[in-house]
Amino acid sequence: MSSEVTMKYLTNDDLGMLQQVLSDAGYTGDMLFEQPGTFNAAALLLVRLFQDGTTSPAKLAGELDRHFGKAKRVAAMPPAVSPFHRFAIQGLPSSLSGIVH
């Protein structure tokens, strides 16, 4: 009895579609991971499912959600606002009306 392992090689188009599924599911650089290996595990899951015959982007996205839940994005940091008026920072007088040109 022999067991044959068939390996399906991924083309550039296949990898692009898998990358798009990851991106659409929120697996991008601005994700907040509770476990550091989550992104790699998600990518490996997609490759394994694809090689096993699941080629529908919707089904692959559903499997990501089923295995890992919804991706959490990192909240954007508010822009830093100086407590000082720009004239105080630049060393300019707050009123320029008294200056003769």
Side-chain angles (χ1 to χ4, degrees):
M1 179 153 74
S2 70
S3 62
E4 291 185 29
V5 176
T6 57
M7 178 69 74
K8 180 178 180 181
Y9 293 98
L10 302 173
T11 65
N12 285 337
D13 290 339
D14 297 336
L15 290 173
M17 185 270 295
L18 294 175
Q19 179 63 43
Q20 189 62 49
V21 170
L22 283 170
S23 179
D24 290 347
Y27 288 81
T28 59
D30 62 346
M31 276 193 63
L32 176 64
F33 292 113
E34 292 171 3
Q35 297 176 353
T38 304
F39 186 85
N40 290 339
L44 290 172
L45 172 68
L46 286 186
V47 169
R48 191 188 85 227
L49 290 170
F50 188 86
Q51 289 179 329
D52 288 344
T54 305
T55 57
S56 163
K59 288 183 180 179
L60 291 168
E63 287 297 315
L64 277 178
D65 188 39
R66 188 172 74 79
H67 280 81
F68 302 108
K70 296 289 181 195
K72 299 175 186 171
R73 295 198 182 275
V74 175
M77 296 286 292
V81 178
S82 174
F84 301 107
H85 193 274
R86 81 177 176 99
F87 291 126
I89 296 170
Q90 295 174 337
L92 301 174
S94 61
S95 173
L96 300 176
S97 61
I99 299 177
V100 178
H101 296 282

